[in-house]
């Protein structure tokens, strides 16, 4: 009886621990590897960032094409990479950021796209074509882009302290600061504060940046990804760093928040849609990418998540107040302060991994 | 012969889902990224000694708190009869019907700086508690989530103690304190050992609790391992090596515990 009870409890505990790591739409079968679907048009397995779509767009797509969408979410490029590199996942479309795309191209994880199936590609802002992460533009179609900056609560932070990355190291706000829970962004912030490039491969510079972060660790309340919404909206933290589009979402729920671009410079990023090597539903995936580039879907997504759209037709349709926003659609002077992430050589990536573990395990 | 045939599905299951993954873990732990054998991962691990120390220390505290809270609870419960007991057992089980992750998330909202408790405290004029992102919050999360796994095994053991044994002790002149110390407690030890195993092992390997309630600052072994697979420092080989070392340490400590409780029944190996 005792053993039976123990076994039963183990089972309950086990299911509790295993579930919850993946979120999916409640009405969906969450199994991405499922090959068949009730709809006639087959399936497409999409793996996207959390809070990064207007989910009604998925239903619209299903109705328009008869293709069933299995939709799953991740919270950082590294999580997505780990899951795919581990070999267990079976996705068609993924939406990584620039630097991760170049890593995945280098590691032969992406399939070249057939642009004949993506006519809406013509609507993409020419400024975003042939980017450094995909120089010949063979593998990716931009989904959203934007700027990284500092978000602060005006009721808790003295205006005089703002303006640079130094705010993230200001001891006055100990235990009130949240920062990214991923190596590239967090180490990048420290690199910028030191005046180095995001894309440095100099071991000494990267180690110096991590030393600076270890020094900052006692001031940090939490390392966060999308948890930052609750932290900033609820006034649980005073200072954080995140993407401008997400700041606009937070602002709707907490009008005390403000945003600035640090004077040392910041990151401009592009998240782009790609198809994984050996995807089973490549044509459906291309149909999905094409649909996401339609004015209708682009507008819905843009108004739901407030990131900057790469679609020219959507930009025209947007409220002038939004399309004229300098942080959403920055002018030359702001662009001059921005640097995008480039792909890093394997040796530097390994260094990032071990240095990140050094930071996180420091007490 | 018949019974052997019936065991086949279980043997296949164990081979596929227990033995094969373990073999993979060992292979991964002893090779480098390009597949050549190496022991580097184990020497690198020395620098994570602090993480090992913190994990075992916090899991130890959580287990201790669970015994201190859970034993009296199980004892009182086992001596109750009828509806009250059913109701109380039910209440202990009830939270487990909800997802583990959800329960932990709700603690985040309760403990946040402007969360439920702090709003309550400041509305009655008391100072706020800064508990989120501390080791204390992590231990609280462990105790909350794993307490039922301490209470229920102890409960089921105490419940089955033969009332005549207790009466005999009383007849022979033992005081109620002596009855407890010399009869009931030794007889309930197998339940305690099961409870300790079932609280300690998930506590030492948890990563969700420390990520959410510890703000990702109090890195535990579970976090360290998760980081190597799905997190921001992709290195499954190092992750496997750490898992392996953790398994060995846990195995040794359970072995020691069984030794200590010899003759009193064995802790249930998870």
């Amino acid at each position: 009886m005792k053993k039976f009870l123990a076994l039963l409890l183990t089972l309950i505990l086990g299911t509790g621990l295993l579930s919850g790591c993946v979120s999916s739409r409640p009405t969906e079968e969450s199994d991405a590897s499922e090959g068949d679907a009730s709809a006639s048009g087959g399936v497409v397995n999409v793996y996207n960032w959390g809070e990064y779509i207007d989910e009604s767009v998925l239903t619209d797509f299903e109705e328009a094409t008869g293709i069933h969408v299995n939709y799953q979410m991740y919270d950082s490029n590294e999580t997505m990479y780990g899951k795919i590199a581990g070999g267990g996942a079976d996705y068609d479309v993924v939406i990584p950021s620039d630097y991760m795309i170049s890593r995945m191209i280098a590691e032969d994880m992406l399939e070249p796209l057939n642009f004949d199936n993506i006519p809406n590609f013509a609507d993409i802002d020419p400024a975003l074509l042939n980017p450094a992460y995909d120089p010949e533009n063979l593998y990716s179609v931009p989904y959203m882009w934007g700027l990284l900056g500092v978000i602060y609560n005006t009721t808790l932070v003295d205006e005089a302290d703002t303006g640079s990355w130094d705010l993230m190291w200001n001891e006055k706000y100990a235990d009130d600061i949240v920062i990214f829970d991923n190596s590239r962004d967090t180490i990048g912030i420290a690199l910028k504060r030191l005046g180095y490039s995001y894309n440095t491969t100099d071991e000494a510079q990267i180690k110096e940046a991590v030393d600076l972060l270890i020094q900052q660790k006692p001031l940090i309340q939490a390392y966060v990804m999308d948890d930052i919404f609750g932290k900033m909206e609820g006034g649980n933290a005073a200072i954080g760093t995140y993407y401008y589009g997400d700041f606009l979402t937070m602002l709707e729920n907490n009008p005390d928040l403000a945003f600035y671009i640090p004077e040392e410079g910041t990151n401009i990023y592009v998240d782009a849609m790609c198809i994984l090597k050996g995807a089973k539903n490549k044509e459906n995936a291309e149909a999905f990418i094409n649909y996401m580039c339609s004015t209708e879907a682009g507008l819905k997504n843009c108004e739901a998540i407030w990131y900057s759209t790469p679609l020219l037709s959507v930009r025209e349709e947007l409220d002038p107040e939004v399309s004229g926003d300098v942080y959403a659609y920055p002018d030359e002077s702001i662009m001059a302060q921005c640097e995008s992430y480039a792909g890093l050589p394997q040796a530097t990536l390994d260094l990032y991994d071990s240095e990140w573990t050094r930071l996180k395990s420091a007490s | 012969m018949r019974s052997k045939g019936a065991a086949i599905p279980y043997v296949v299951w164990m081979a596929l889902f227990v033995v094969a993954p373990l073999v993979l873990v060992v292979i991964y732990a002893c090779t480098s990224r390009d597949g050549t054998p190496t022991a580097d991962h184990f020497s690198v691990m020395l620098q994570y000694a602090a993480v090992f120390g913190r994990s075992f220390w916090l899991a130890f505290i959580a287990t201790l708190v669970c015994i201190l809270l859970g034993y009296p609870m199980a004892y009182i419960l086992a001596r109750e009869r009828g509806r009250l007991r059913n109701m109380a057992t039910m209440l202990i089980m009830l939270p487990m019907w909800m997802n583990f992750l959800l329960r932990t998330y709700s603690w985040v909202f309760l403990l946040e700086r402007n969360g439920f408790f702090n709003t309550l405290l400041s509305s009655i004029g008391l100072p706020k508690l800064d508990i989120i992102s501390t080791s204390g919050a992590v231990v609280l999360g462990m105790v909350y989530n794993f307490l039922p796994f301490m209470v229920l095994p102890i409960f089921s053991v105490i419940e089955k103690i033969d009332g005549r044994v207790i009466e005999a002790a009383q007849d022979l002149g033992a005081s109620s304190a002596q009855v407890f110390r010399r009869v009931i407690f030794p007889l309930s030890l197998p339940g305690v050992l099961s409870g300790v195993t079932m609280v300690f092992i998930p506590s030492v390997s948890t990563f969700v609790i420390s990520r959410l309630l510890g703000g990702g600052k109090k890195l535990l072994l579970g976090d360290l391992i998760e980081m190597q697979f799905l997190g921001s420092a992709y290195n499954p080989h190092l992750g496997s090596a750490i898992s392996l070392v953790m398994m060995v340490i846990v195995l040794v400590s359970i072995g020691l515990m069984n030794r200590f409780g010899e003759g009193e029944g064995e802790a249930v190996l998870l």
Side-chain angles (χ1 to χ4, degrees), chain B residues 124-168:
Chain B
I124 53 173
L126 291 171
K128 287 187 174 185
L129 283 172
D130 249 343
I131 186 166
I132 193 82
S133 295
T134 62
S135 301
V138 177
V139 171
L140 178 69
M142 290 173 178
V143 170
Y144 173 77
N145 277 307
F146 304 131
L147 185 61
F149 298 97
M150 182 65 83
V151 175
L152 294 174
I154 300 179
F155 166 77
S156 72
V157 170
I158 295 184
E159 190 203 8
K160 279 198 279 297
I161 294 176
D162 192 337
R164 287 171 301 183
V165 180
I166 297 167
E167 281 161 22

Side-chain angles (χ1 to χ4, degrees), chain A residues 158-169:
Chain A
D158 191 349
E159 203 74 33
D161 295 329
T162 65
S164 83
W165 285 117
D166 290 348
L167 186 62
M168 307 285 298
W169 272 264

Side-chain angles (χ1 to χ4, degrees), chain B residues 193-214:
Chain B
L193 289 182
S194 299
V196 166
T197 320
M198 292 174 70
V199 171
F200 185 77
I201 293 176
S203 297
V204 87
S205 59
T206 182
F207 66 92
V208 175
I209 296 175
S210 51
R211 156 103 56 91
L212 294 178
L213 294 171

